[in-house]
Amino acid sequence: MPIIRILDDAAKDLEEGRVFYQKHGVGNYFWDSLLSVIESLLIHSGVHLKEYGYYRMLAKRFPYAIYYDIRFNFIDIIAVLPIRRNPLWIQAKMSGRR
C-alpha cells in the first residue's frame, strides 16, 4: 500500500486554508474535508490529469486543488491551493515547488 507524505509547503497551504476558514467558523470542517480527500488518494492516485507537471485532484466541498506526485511507493502532496485565485498566482506558487 502506498504511503502519503504531505510535504512542508503543502502542510503550510493546508494551515493557511484552515486559518482562513476558521474566520468563517468552518476551519475544522475544512481541515477534516481536505485530509479526507487526500486520504482518498490511497485508492484513486494516478487517475487525475496533470497540471504544472503534477497530478491535480479537486476537492469536492471546498474550492481547492491538491497537487501530488507518485514516486515509488509514495504519494507526495506538493501543494494544496485555492482554485479561485488568479491563475498566474497559482502558476507562480507551483513553479517554486519541489
Side-chain angles (χ1 to χ4, degrees):
M1 178 184 283
I3 297 169
I4 295 175
R5 301 187 297 191
I6 300 176
L7 303 184
D8 290 342
D9 286 338
K12 290 175 190 170
D13 296 338
L14 278 168
E15 180 60 21
E16 288 173 8
R18 188 193 66 75
V19 168
F20 173 80
Y21 281 104
Q22 192 63 43
K23 295 175 188 173
H24 303 285
V26 292
N28 291 336
Y29 181 61
F30 167 83
W31 186 265
D32 292 342
S33 294
L34 270 287
L35 288 182
S36 177
V37 170
I38 289 170
E39 188 175 290
S40 77
L41 288 172
L42 290 171
I43 298 168
H44 302 292
S45 63
V47 301
H48 305 95
L49 296 177
K50 284 192 170 186
E51 188 172 289
Y52 307 114
Y54 300 106
Y55 294 101
R56 183 185 83 151
M57 177 175 64
L58 299 177
K60 295 190 187 315
R61 301 200 185 270
F62 290 89
Y64 272 72
I66 294 94
Y67 294 89
Y68 68 96
D69 199 12
I70 301 170
R71 293 177 181 260
F72 306 107
N73 200 35
F74 297 102
I75 301 167
D76 291 336
I77 308 302
I78 307 298
V80 182
L81 300 175
I83 58 175
R84 291 188 179 165
R85 295 292 301 257
N86 183 326
L88 295 176
W89 179 86
I90 295 171
Q91 184 178 16
K93 284 288 228 183
M94 291 307 297
S95 69
R97 299 290 164 113
R98 204 178 291 200

